[in-house]
Amino acid sequence: MNTTELQRIKQRYNIVGNSDDLNHALDVALQVAPTDLSVLIVGESGVGKEIIPRVIHDNSPRRRERYFAINCGSIPEGTIDSELFGHEKGAYTGAVGESEGYFGVANKGTIFLDEVGELPMATQARLLRVLETGEYIRVGGQEIRKTDVRIVAATNVNMRKAISEGRFREDLFYRLNTIPIQMPPLRERGNDILLLFRLFAMQMADKYHLPKITLTDDAKQLMLHYKWPGNVRQLKNITEQMSVLSENREINAEQLKHFIPDDPESTELATISQPGQHSYENEREALYKILYELRGSVANLRHDLNSMRKQLDDTRELNNMSAYRNQYLDTPSSAMPALTPAGHPLNGYDGVSPTQDAEAEEIKAEPESLNLNDLGRQMVEKALERNNGNRKKAAQELGISDRTLYRRIKQYGLDKKEY
């Protein structure tokens, strides 16, 4: 982006600052604006993330359509689905009429979902469907509705950590994060801190007809080295306080310290890491990566175990049926012993008779090329013939479930045969 275009955007949206990270964020926003790709804006609370979706919408083909900014963290969990996707009359207590919801009203336009990391899991599933297919269903409804909405989301939480903790869907994250934009914290914007201070001081002076406050050199250094945990929002609040409460309109470092909170956890001055100084940031990132890989390995292992278990069950069924054939395959139905559901004889019958001994010898004399599939087909076919096609009785006789017998019938092509 050329400097002239960048300055035009900053003037239009009252953006103050010249840091490289800020300029890069604006550049990416303008490049992605003509497309319909989803954008995820990441940054700490108070850095001004809400400017980016406005820039994207106003420079997109949807600029003449409606734009909605929705704070997902401020809507109660019980009503957020209704707010986003609408509801039918009587869908819940208090639903006295129908509601289109934001996705219905904003058709052809843009929706900005601020604090998207606060969405409940059920709402995340609905949002994923809208992103993938453009379809949604109202609360309490059954009709599938279509919408054409550009979604820009923002969050101040660590999304990868939220995914590892089960608080955010990984598939939704990748759909939202098609184009990521990182907004820099105020402490990393250098002299932008002083530019913003002058802007806020001038606004307060014009609004309330007060003399404008300024900073001494030592106060400026304190400003530049402070961590600013509340970012631009905190800087604006402190500037407004000093504009109203300070009798001296030139603020020095001692006076500035009276307006900066003295909580050491939030006001510790930012320090530059020295060579050799240990940092735990890389270790945390490495641990997160290991956790993601481990979760994938566990999922693959579970899938393999389920496949092995199914194979073992099928083999066990074939073995049971093979043993059954060796004893009862050609035995007349009247000579068959009563069987338990597991296929075992009742009343002490041991399954041995002279007739079966002779049949066993005949079976042993058969060619050994008979495979298990042929063997299983013969057993199922014989059982169905003896029971005149009654599948329930045939399954009991074989010692298998009705569902397993039905699957075998389909597998062996016996479902079209008449008995």
Side-chain angles (χ1 to χ4, degrees):
M1 181 195 306
N2 58 54
T3 305
T4 303
E5 179 69 10
L6 187 62
Q7 291 303 320
R8 182 187 68 82
I9 293 297
K10 289 181 179 180
Q11 290 176 2
R12 178 179 178 182
Y13 297 96
N14 199 25
I15 300 173
V16 176
N18 294 310
S19 70
D20 292 339
D21 291 339
L22 176 64
N23 291 341
H24 177 70
L26 293 173
D27 189 17
V28 173
L30 289 174
Q31 289 185 58
V32 75
T35 72
D36 281 334
L37 296 176
S38 300
V39 178
L40 180 63
I41 307 164
V42 180
E44 298 177 6
S45 178
V47 296
K49 297 186 292 294
E50 64 280 357
I51 294 295
I52 300 298
R54 190 79 246 189
V55 172
I56 292 174
H57 175 75
D58 292 344
N59 291 274
S60 73
R62 301 172 182 265
R63 56 184 171 273
R64 292 182 177 85
E65 304 296 337
R66 305 188 72 173
Y67 170 86
F68 289 96
I70 305 166
N71 190 315
C72 301
S74 65
I75 304 176
E77 183 174 345
T79 61
I80 190 166
D81 282 359
S82 173
E83 292 283 341
L84 294 177
F85 307 104
H87 63 258
E88 300 291 344
K89 182 178 180 180
Y92 57 88
T93 303
V96 295
E98 295 183 353
S99 171
E100 286 288 332
Y102 285 111
F103 278 96
V105 177
N107 188 36
K108 305 296 183 180
T110 303
I111 289 182
F112 170 45
L113 299 177
D114 197 8
E115 296 187 29
V116 70
E118 303 298 326
L119 284 175
M121 294 297 289
T123 307
Q124 292 178 32
R126 286 175 175 262
L127 178 59
L128 179 62
R129 182 179 182 184
V130 173
L131 284 166
E132 291 181 339
T133 65
E135 298 177 346
Y136 69 98
I137 300 176
R138 288 179 178 178
V139 176
Q142 296 181 343
E143 179 185 355
I144 297 177
R145 297 176 177 269
K146 298 283 290 186
T147 186
D148 177 18
V149 173
R150 169 75 173 280
I151 295 179
V152 180
T155 182
N156 60 359
V157 303
N158 187 326
M159 296 299 284
R160 297 194 179 276
K161 183 179 179 182
I163 292 170
S164 66
E165 294 175 351
R167 294 184 289 110
F168 201 84
R169 294 177 62 109
E170 188 172 13
D171 47 3
L172 177 59
F173 168 71
Y174 288 119
R175 290 292 301 184
L176 291 172
N177 198 41
T178 305
I179 301 294
I181 296 180
Q182 179 72 46
M183 288 294 289
L186 182 59
R187 60 183 171 275
E188 296 179 2
R189 291 176 57 180
N191 287 329
D192 287 358
I193 298 173
L194 302 180
L195 295 176
L196 287 166
F197 169 80
R198 286 201 290 268
L199 171 66
F200 298 145
M202 183 178 61
Q203 289 175 344
M204 285 296 293
D206 291 343
K207 184 175 183 180
Y208 296 105
H209 307 290
L210 297 170
K212 187 176 71 171
I213 60 174
T214 59
L215 297 174
T216 61
D217 290 340
D218 57 348
K220 291 179 181 179
Q221 291 302 313
L222 181 57
M223 280 272 193
L224 292 174
H225 289 87
Y226 182 61
K227 291 184 67 173
W228 296 109
N231 293 290
V232 178
R233 186 180 295 120
Q234 183 187 13
L235 174 60
K236 183 177 182 180
N237 289 343
I238 289 177
T239 305
E240 291 174 347
Q241 292 175 27
M242 290 189 296
S243 297
V244 174
L245 301 178
S246 295
E247 296 181 1
N248 187 354
R249 308 314 289 178
E250 185 179 36
I251 310 298
N252 58 33
E254 286 300 320
Q255 292 171 324
L256 179 59
K257 290 178 180 178
H258 291 296
F259 293 95
I260 293 179
D262 57 2
D263 181 2
E265 293 185 359
S266 61
T267 62
E268 179 184 356
L269 297 184
T271 57
I272 300 175
S273 299
Q274 300 298 326
Q277 184 176 352
H278 187 73
S279 172
Y280 294 94
E281 187 67 27
N282 293 334
E283 283 85 343
R284 283 197 297 269
E285 294 298 327
L287 286 173
Y288 290 148
K289 183 178 180 180
I290 291 172
L291 287 173
Y292 297 141
E293 294 176 352
L294 180 60
R295 186 174 65 171
S297 299
V298 171
N300 292 335
L301 181 60
R302 185 182 294 112
H303 179 269
D304 293 341
L305 286 174
N306 289 335
S307 299
M308 292 175 63
R309 185 179 293 110
K310 186 178 184 302
Q311 293 175 4
L312 288 173
D313 291 341
D314 291 344
T315 303
R316 188 179 298 111
E317 289 176 5
L318 286 173
N319 290 338
N320 291 339
M321 294 172 71
S322 177
Y324 165 84
R325 181 186 189 279
N326 290 335
Q327 295 182 16
Y328 309 121
L329 180 60
D330 296 319
T331 303
S333 178
S334 59
M336 292 290 292
L339 300 178
T340 67
H344 302 299
L346 289 175
N347 303 326
Y349 185 84
D350 60 3
V352 179
S353 69
T355 304
Q356 291 167 359
D357 288 340
E359 291 171 353
E361 291 179 1
E362 292 179 4
I363 292 172
K364 291 179 182 178
E366 291 179 353
E368 294 182 359
S369 61
L370 187 64
N371 58 39
L372 288 178
N373 284 333
D374 294 334
L375 184 64
R377 187 181 189 282
Q378 290 182 17
M379 287 187 285
V380 172
E381 192 172 12
K382 290 289 186 181
L384 289 170
E385 288 177 354
R386 279 193 292 270
N387 291 279
N388 299 320
N390 189 314
R391 296 181 180 180
K392 185 174 185 65
K393 292 182 179 180
Q396 292 177 352
E397 181 178 311
L398 292 170
I400 60 177
S401 66
D402 296 351
R403 183 177 298 177
T404 301
L405 177 61
Y406 178 76
R407 189 169 67 248
R408 296 300 180 193
I409 290 174
K410 296 288 287 185
Q411 178 182 347
Y412 300 141
L414 300 175
D415 51 330
K416 300 178 181 179
K417 186 174 180 180
E418 296 182 359
Y419 298 95

